[in-house]
Amino acid sequence: MSHYLLAQIKIVDRDEYSIYEAGFMDIFSKFRGKILSVDEQPRLLEGSWPYTRTVLIEFPTNDDAIDWYQSEEYQTLARHRFNSSNGNAIIIQGIPED
């Protein structure tokens, strides 16, 4: 069953964040994820949205998502994201297929 990682990110240092962006795909491509959306101008329907970037990624399983996120390579790169942004990230379960 698919699992989705949703990240809401408020970038505060674009130069530092660009280091994260530059190395992201080299690491991500080693895992079984698929980037579904990266949007800096989502259409707000309700509430407020103080984020500068929203990311939606699909993984075949929860384990795939966790393997990528917790990998040493990604966590080393993610330090640039942690230093340059604030945000939230969650994994949600897809709807089971019949």
Side-chain angles (χ1 to χ4, degrees), residues 10-80:
K10 185 170 186 177
I11 300 168
V12 295
D13 180 343
R14 287 275 177 182
D15 290 336
E16 178 82 9
Y17 194 85
S18 69
I19 298 168
Y20 170 75
E21 288 177 307
F24 182 87
M25 287 307 294
D26 286 343
I27 295 168
F28 184 76
S29 65
K30 297 175 185 178
F31 296 84
R32 298 184 338 142
K34 178 180 177 183
I35 297 174
L36 300 178
S37 179
V38 177
D39 196 342
E40 292 204 9
Q41 296 180 344
R43 183 176 175 196
L44 182 64
L45 298 177
E46 294 183 25
S48 62
W49 203 262
Y51 308 101
T52 53
R53 177 169 286 191
T54 304
V55 179
L56 180 61
I57 300 172
E58 179 182 23
F59 289 93
T61 69
N62 182 66
D63 288 344
D64 290 320
I66 295 299
D67 288 348
W68 164 72
Y69 186 81
Q70 292 181 345
S71 71
E72 185 175 335
E73 280 183 294
Y74 179 70
Q75 285 299 309
T76 298
L77 179 65
R79 291 181 191 148
H80 295 288

